[in-house]
Amino acid sequence: VTQNVTQNVTQNVTEKRRSVLLELIANNPSITTEQMATQLGVTKRTILREIEKLRKDGVIKYIGSAKKGYWSLIATSKN
């Protein structure tokens, strides 16, 4: 029972974080991972993990160079 509760809470937090990430990207396509981390109150590594999942799911992609590039929303996330 405790494991199920923990999984549900973790899943809810992750889904909420993904939703906020997509909103941040939609509002500011040039946002950096450091800015995302600061706004969400998590580590940059957590943001990188979430971004990798969103990329694999075909939801976002990064276009351009590291300095002058921007995020592009490809599809609406199912979560």
Side-chain angles (χ1 to χ4, degrees):
V1 173
T2 302
Q3 184 179 6
N4 288 340
V5 170
T6 302
Q7 284 178 333
N8 288 340
V9 169
T10 302
Q11 186 175 2
N12 289 341
V13 168
T14 301
E15 288 176 9
K16 174 74 172 162
R17 184 167 43 234
R18 282 185 181 192
S19 176
V20 173
L21 269 177
L22 292 174
E23 187 177 323
L24 288 173
I25 290 169
N27 291 334
N28 180 9
S30 299
I31 193 168
T32 66
T33 53
E34 288 182 17
Q35 290 169 330
M36 291 178 204
T38 299
Q39 289 190 26
L40 288 170
V42 297
T43 65
K44 184 178 173 182
R45 181 68 193 125
T46 298
I47 297 299
L48 293 173
R49 229 181 356 259
E50 292 296 337
I51 285 173
E52 185 59 29
K53 289 177 190 174
L54 290 168
R55 282 181 172 170
K56 284 182 181 180
D57 291 345
V59 178
I60 63 170
K61 67 178 177 178
Y62 194 79
I63 299 171
S65 69
K67 276 193 168 185
K68 296 184 180 183
Y70 60 94
W71 296 101
S72 175
L73 298 176
I74 300 169
T76 305
S77 176
K78 295 175 187 170
N79 292 336

